[in-house]
Amino acid sequence: MSTPASLDLTPARASAPPAAGFVAAALAVAAVAALLAGWMPITFSIVTVFLFAGPHNWLEFRYFLTRLPARWGRLRGFFLLGFAGMFGFTAAFACLLVLFARGSVTGDSAQYLSSGVLSLLTLWIAALVHLRSRQNPRREWGWFWPVAFGLIALAWVAPYEWQLGLVYLHPLMAFWLLDRELRRSRPQWRGAFHGCLLCVPLLLGVLWWHLASAPPLHDDSPVAQRITQHAGAMALPGVSSHLLVATHTFLEMLHYGVWVVAIPLIGLRTAPWRLQRVPLAHRSGAWRTGVACFLVLGLGVVLALWACFAIDYPVTRDVYFTVAFFHVLAEVPFLLRAL
Amino acid sequence: MKCVLISSAAVAFLLGMAATAFGDLAPPGGRKPGPGLRPLALPAFKPQQVKFSVEVDEKAKEVRLLVPIQVMAAAMGAGPPGGGFGPGVGPGGPPPGGLPPGAVPRGPAVPAEPKGGGGDPAASALRLPTIMAGLALTAAFASGGLWLVRRGAGRALLGVLVVALFVGGAAILWANARAPFPPPVPPGPGAPLPALADLPKGTPIKLPANVELNDKVTIQLLPVGDTIRLIVPKSAIKDADK
């Protein structure tokens, strides 16, 4: 039996606190992250992933539950395509990983397969953009198709560089979502937030200036090798691996900071375990129980992830990043929904 | 004023992006460019001294030569054309938050020569990535044009796009002049190759720690480190038990 949804979605603008605390906290986190990322990039990367990887995924899931409508209505096609892409591409990239690791697909075939999947991924995003632009109020997003086809061309010419770009740009998507949340609930903070955003290229510039001629990282443990490889050291051999890992770890820490602290405070506006603002939980008692069970299950996964990290960090890290691609994909439809 | 500034910046950017071509020029070494000769050759490999160590690994089952990628980059002066080392380097992977590690193998940014070494430029140009990239760019131009028509673009934007079309389809040609290739690097005084060439084929060379190698060594590029390491199994050490 369904119950009518009676959500209070009115933006809490009247009693918003001043932005000084928000700005101070954001700048402090960014400065400390840049310092630690430049000073001890491998250690900082290991610690941040251990601490925040699981919780940030859980909080992201919780945020998406808040933004997922109880009944999709005219958004049905948009969300169906979105969820199909999330599951489909996560499975596809995991399969590619297994095939490449086993050596079943090598050489040009591997290259073509990767480029093909990246092309489909781009088309999926373009289709979501198109569907979203057709919803009221209609948006003039026709420019995205030529951009998407340009990205597909790039995926065939330089697939590794394509995905490396995604890797470095993905942390910035959280800033975009946070900006939309600020616009919704704390519009008076947006100016200060944009000012904070200007500090990101400034801190990156300081990192690059300081580490441009830094010697390569000497830690040749398996974890350090994976982290360095992940940061693109194989693709950019002329760039200091210290600089690459520091840059990526810095951006990733900001990404975690947004998801673990900023969006729960600004976007959720309630404790994560309270379900009052979860539209799906208002459909019926069964849905409420289901949502609660999913959240508890997610917490269990976070705890299990911590335990596995403590037991075997390198293997857990590899498995985590294979599965965690799902959350990268999930951000696409929800970001489009927020625009 | 703002429109003029934006248009000027866009035109300057587009002019800066124009492609460069070299025509009728003597390539390094004085050879005439023949059909299929690609100007994007491998960069000169500068002789350099690096740290080298031989390590015994009781768990190793084969002899492995580990070469840090930074050593390769330093030897080449910079990254190779396109920023890659070509096929076979090994799988790469993205960092946290990107694609799963290794989901996209490291490959050549510049399409490689066709197998067999025929050097046929037509065959090289018709590889699948080239075809797909061409089709995608065609679709990009077509959809972009349709969007512009439907949107009713302003004069300034149209002007920039027309200039972009001309510049994108044009190239700066360096012809009948010495190409600005770097001079060839002379071999260093300690270059080992001439000395090795004097040895009779099959002459064993004693390595440190009495290591004896067979004719197969696995080469692996490492993303970290500055030392070339030779990992040998215990069985490869002569008189290991003494």
Side-chain angles (χ1 to χ4, degrees):
Chain A
M1 183 178 152
S2 64
T3 56
S6 57
L7 298 177
D8 177 19
L9 296 176
T10 310
R13 301 180 183 189
S15 60
F22 170 74
V23 171
L27 291 181
V29 168
V32 171
L35 179 70
L36 292 176
W39 181 27
M40 44 173 82
I42 297 288
T43 309
F44 190 50
S45 174
I46 292 172
V47 170
T48 51
V49 168
F50 176 84
L51 288 179
F52 301 123
H56 108 280
N57 282 144
W58 187 81
L59 286 162
E60 218 173 323
F61 173 62
R62 175 65 182 79
Y63 169 77
F64 293 152
L65 279 179
T66 308
R67 293 287 165 253
L68 191 65
R71 300 184 189 281
W72 292 349
R74 291 183 180 179
L75 294 171
R76 183 180 175 80
F78 176 80
F79 278 116
L80 281 179
L81 181 65
F83 279 103
M86 289 178 219
F87 286 103
F89 285 111
T90 304
F93 280 110
C95 289
L96 283 187
L97 185 66
V98 172
L99 288 175
F100 295 156
R102 286 184 176 177
S104 306
V105 183
T106 56
D108 285 349
S109 304
Q111 204 76 31
Y112 300 161
L113 206 53
S114 302
S115 298
V117 176
L118 290 178
S119 302
L120 288 176
L121 175 65
T122 311
L123 285 176
W124 173 70
I125 296 173
L128 286 175
V129 170
H130 178 74
L131 286 177
R132 182 63 179 147
S133 70
R134 301 287 297 272
Q135 293 160 6
N136 288 326
R138 300 217 167 198
R139 299 156 180 85
E140 178 49 70
W141 288 350
W143 54 268
F144 195 80
W145 280 108
V147 171
F149 284 121
L151 289 173
I152 290 174
L154 190 64
W156 282 94
V157 174
Y160 189 84
E161 285 73 10
W162 196 103
Q163 62 92 28
L164 200 60
L166 177 64
V167 156
Y168 277 90
L169 291 177
H170 161 248
L172 305 180
M173 280 178 68
F175 292 135
W176 202 348
L177 269 165
L178 179 58
D179 183 59
R180 304 308 296 181
E181 285 304 323
L182 286 173
R183 179 177 172 164
R184 178 197 294 262
S185 57
R186 302 267 194 278
Q188 63 273 36
W189 286 15
R190 282 187 83 208
F193 174 63
H194 294 163
C196 291
L197 282 183
L198 288 177
C199 292
V200 175
L202 190 70
L203 288 169
L204 280 175
V206 171
L207 266 182
W208 293 343
W209 172 69
H210 186 63
L211 299 174
S213 56
L217 294 167
H218 293 283
D219 188 348
D220 59 354
S221 63
V223 177
Q225 285 192 36
R226 293 300 286 167
I227 292 172
T228 315
Q229 190 178 356
H230 289 176
M234 301 293 262
L236 305 167
V239 183
S240 165
S241 56
H242 192 142
L243 169 64
L244 289 173
V245 175
T247 301
H248 181 259
T249 308
F250 168 65
L251 291 176
E252 200 61 24
M253 182 59 225
L254 297 186
H255 172 78
Y256 289 148
V258 168
W259 278 113
V260 174
V261 180
I263 286 190
L265 287 177
I266 294 164
L268 298 181
R269 300 202 301 274
T270 182
W273 53 87
R274 295 183 186 276
L275 301 181
Q276 286 92 337
R277 290 184 182 273
V278 177
L280 279 178
H282 290 265
R283 281 190 69 164
S284 66
W287 275 93
R288 187 179 180 81
T289 307
V291 168
C293 286
F294 258 100
L295 286 174
V296 172
L297 184 68
L299 277 179
V301 172
V302 172
L303 294 174
L305 197 63
W306 273 332
C308 292
F309 271 133
I311 294 169
D312 190 337
Y313 187 90
V315 172
T316 307
R317 187 182 171 104
D318 280 350
V319 172
Y320 167 74
F321 285 128
T322 303
V323 179
F325 186 49
F326 186 86
H327 92 275
V328 182
L329 298 168
E331 287 176 14
V332 175
F334 284 97
L335 174 61
L336 289 172
R337 177 93 172 87
L339 294 177
Chain B
M1 184 63 188
K2 186 180 175 184
C3 183
V4 173
L5 279 175
I6 292 174
S7 301
S8 305
V11 170
F13 173 75
L14 289 168
L15 287 171
M17 295 292 288
T20 305
F22 298 92
D24 196 22
L25 296 171
R31 289 182 293 124
K32 292 287 287 183
L37 183 63
R38 292 150 58 98
L40 289 175
L42 281 174
F45 199 99
K46 292 184 290 187
Q48 62 166 347
Q49 289 190 329
V50 296
K51 294 180 197 169
F52 183 82
S53 69
V54 180
E55 299 173 15
V56 180
D57 185 353
E58 293 187 355
K59 295 178 183 175
K61 295 179 180 174
E62 58 182 5
V63 180
R64 287 185 297 138
L65 182 66
L66 308 181
V67 184
I69 198 146
Q70 302 285 345
V71 171
M72 296 286 288
M76 291 180 174
F85 278 96
V89 167
L99 301 181
V104 178
R106 182 72 188 99
V110 177
E113 291 292 344
K115 288 173 183 173
D120 180 4
S124 173
L126 285 179
R127 292 177 76 248
L128 185 61
T130 312
I131 295 170
M132 295 302 293
L135 287 175
L137 284 177
T138 306
F141 274 105
S143 56
L146 284 173
W147 172 68
L148 275 177
V149 169
R150 288 182 60 186
R151 184 176 177 273
R155 281 186 179 182
L157 183 59
L158 269 180
V160 169
L161 287 171
V162 168
V163 173
L165 199 60
F166 276 105
V167 174
I172 297 171
L173 178 66
W174 297 77
N176 295 325
R178 179 79 185 159
F181 288 116
V185 180
L193 286 179
L196 286 177
D198 294 338
L199 293 174
K201 189 176 181 183
T203 303
I205 301 168
K206 193 173 181 181
L207 288 172
N210 290 330
V211 175
E212 281 190 349
L213 304 179
N214 57 18
D215 58 347
K216 293 279 173 62
V217 174
T218 302
I219 296 181
Q220 185 181 348
L221 286 179
L222 291 180
V224 296
D226 61 352
T227 304
I228 296 179
R229 296 157 58 206
L230 185 68
I231 307 294
V232 294
K234 200 172 180 181
S235 59
I237 304 172
K238 190 180 178 183
D239 302 332
D241 298 330
K242 289 184 180 177

